[in-house]
Amino acid sequence: MQTSALPAILGTYKRQAPLFVRGDGVYMVDEHGKRYLDLVAGIAVTSLGHNDPGVMNALQEAIATGLIHTSNLYRTAPGEALAQWFVDHSFASSVFFANSGAEANEGAFKFARRWAKSTGHQAKHEIIAVRGAFHGRMPGTLAATDRPAYRLPFRPLMAGVTIVERELDELRTVLDPETAAAVIVEPIQGEGGVRVVDPEFLRGLRDLTRERNVLLILDEIQCGLGRTGSFFAYEQLGIVPDMLTIAKPLANGLPIGAILVNEAVARVMQPGDHGTTFGGGPLLAHVAHHVVQRLSDPAMLQHVRETGAWFGEQLQGIADRTGQVRAIRGKGLMWGMDVHEPAAAIIGRAFEKGLLLVSAGEHTLRFLPPLVITKAELAEGLVMLESAMQG
């Protein structure tokens, strides 16, 4: 047996020191019994909070069947029911289930290229992303991610992927109908600083992609499934994509992602074109089916809109009082606050006070609380936040 001073888990994360052992609603509890108000939600994942009774019951129902995994060689009722739910509640004709957001985006790139070849243009393969994007850390998605620090150690990245400015004039130049297969864009750029992409830009982009016979992929992995106050973010934009990728809160913490595709894309995909061993397994799909019904409930979405608007006002109040804030951006329960000092310093002080925060760049605090959070719970967090900002 080898002995080493290295941690058993590969050191790709700088984890906080306390060991977390329990979750309770919008709180996480460490090994010493200290409670932390969670405004991270596993990075927009646990939208129904921790230890939610409905989620726990759905888990028990799935486990009771004894059918946790079958592979995708066989049919299961939960996977088919979840896919049909999405077809019934979106633009999609078909759904592919993956294991994560990055895998969903990688798959969408493959689907786009498969569709592009069916148009008769053999050179049609390019994937276009826009400035500020984050789509994942795998070979293709990293090439579409606008974070130099993430990209540099892993060059050369996948070819045929280009990042351009968020400007329609530049996209008009880049989107050659004979070479461009798809454009991918986040309606709100989460990792890119919680930047709400201009709806007029997105509507113009939708028109342009239709005109040039290029697919539009919306990445709603972080901003979708209720986070902005509508179940899908695109519903507020007056546009419909050709493909949509989702993941994070889909099963409230269990690993599942999905690619929703329109009929044109679905028709060109053939058996063997893509695959997954675990994606859409019966346990995951059963829990996800429960979660999407909860997150799409009109009362839940109204709560997100009203609570989110109030939260944004409170953040502005902190900005006015402290003089330490450069800008505030967001929608629903997805907000970013640009601060003068490094965000990591504020996050560290907040942690000591019992508040969990995450950054979105060196000088941006990001707020992604569970969607079930109350104003009273947020008010508790705001007090700790303001105290942490003042040192």
Side-chain angles (χ1 to χ4, degrees):
M1 180 183 299
Q2 286 186 318
T3 59
S4 172
L6 293 173
I9 297 177
L10 190 65
T12 57
Y13 291 97
K14 294 180 179 178
R15 290 184 173 89
Q16 296 283 359
L19 187 70
F20 283 100
V21 297
R22 191 162 57 86
D24 178 21
V26 296
Y27 297 89
M28 287 168 54
V29 184
D30 72 14
E31 59 190 321
H32 305 296
K34 182 176 178 179
R35 289 163 62 88
Y36 297 77
L37 180 63
D38 184 4
L39 299 192
V40 180
I43 314 182
V45 170
T46 51
S47 287
L48 297 175
H50 304 285
N51 198 30
D52 175 79
V55 173
M56 300 305 288
N57 183 63
L59 262 171
Q60 292 300 322
E61 289 175 345
I63 290 171
T65 68
L67 202 64
I68 292 173
H69 174 73
T70 64
S71 85
N72 279 291
L73 296 174
Y74 311 106
R75 297 174 59 201
T76 66
E80 293 186 7
L82 179 61
Q84 188 62 53
W85 190 93
F86 275 115
V87 169
D88 292 343
H89 291 83
S90 75
F91 70 94
S93 296
S94 299
V95 181
F96 177 89
F97 293 119
N99 304 295
S100 68
E103 286 187 34
N105 282 338
E106 291 271 335
F109 292 175
K110 286 184 66 178
F111 294 2
R113 287 180 169 177
R114 184 71 173 86
W115 167 84
K117 292 296 187 289
S118 74
T119 67
H121 297 291
Q122 290 307 303
K124 193 175 178 71
H125 71 284
E126 295 171 353
I127 308 295
I128 311 300
V130 300
R131 187 67 62 205
F134 178 92
H135 297 296
R137 297 173 183 260
M138 297 170 70
T141 51
L142 186 58
T145 290
D146 183 30
R147 294 290 290 272
Y150 292 172
R151 294 160 56 93
L152 188 59
F154 305 105
R155 292 179 181 274
L157 304 176
M158 190 177 87
V161 182
T162 304
I163 297 172
V164 304
E165 296 297 331
R166 292 190 303 272
E167 296 176 358
L168 288 176
D169 286 343
E170 180 162 348
L171 283 156
R172 287 189 184 95
T173 301
V174 172
L175 294 186
D176 184 335
E178 295 188 6
T179 59
V183 178
I184 184 167
V185 62
E186 304 156 274
I188 300 181
Q189 296 179 325
E191 290 278 343
V194 194
R195 300 188 182 280
V196 181
V197 177
D198 182 3
E200 287 299 321
F201 167 81
L202 291 171
R203 287 189 279 270
L205 179 59
R206 175 71 283 192
D207 291 341
L208 181 60
T209 52
R210 283 207 179 99
E211 174 191 314
R212 302 291 176 88
N213 197 28
V214 174
L215 298 180
L216 177 62
I217 306 168
L218 290 186
D219 176 344
E220 293 200 10
I221 289 162
Q222 188 167 145
C223 67
L225 305 190
R227 178 62 55 182
T228 65
S230 57
F231 186 68
F232 298 112
Y234 77 79
E235 295 176 276
Q236 300 179 44
L237 302 172
I239 64 172
V240 176
D242 300 297
M243 286 192 274
L244 181 83
T245 55
I246 52 176
K248 287 183 179 293
L250 182 48
N252 207 60
L254 297 179
I256 181 172
I259 312 167
L260 279 58
V261 304
N262 67 10
E263 184 176 355
V265 177
R267 287 192 178 280
V268 302
M269 298 302 296
Q270 301 298 317
D273 280 347
H274 197 46
T276 172
T277 298
F278 295 104
L283 185 149
L284 296 167
H286 184 78
V287 175
H289 198 179
H290 170 82
V291 170
V292 295
Q293 292 176 82
R294 296 268 301 281
L295 294 181
S296 63
D297 182 271
M300 170 70 82
L301 298 173
Q302 180 69 16
H303 167 77
V304 172
R305 291 192 295 272
E306 292 180 355
T307 307
W310 175 86
F311 186 61
E313 292 170 358
Q314 304 309 303
L315 291 177
Q316 186 59 55
I318 290 176
D320 295 340
R321 288 191 296 273
T322 64
Q324 297 181 29
V325 177
R326 292 182 295 180
I328 295 171
R329 300 175 296 275
K331 182 180 290 188
L333 285 172
M334 182 177 184
W335 289 86
M337 174 187 277
D338 291 344
V339 291
H340 292 295
E341 72 172 309
I346 297 173
I347 291 170
R349 294 196 294 268
F351 188 88
E352 293 300 317
K353 298 174 186 298
L355 178 65
L356 302 182
L357 300 173
V358 67
S359 64
E362 187 177 353
H363 288 276
T364 302
L365 298 172
R366 183 170 26 157
F367 304 93
L368 300 165
L371 301 188
V372 295
I373 200 165
T374 66
K375 288 182 181 178
E377 290 162 339
L378 283 171
E380 176 190 348
L382 288 161
V383 170
M384 288 187 279
L385 170 66
E386 188 163 358
S387 175
M389 291 177 65
Q390 292 171 341

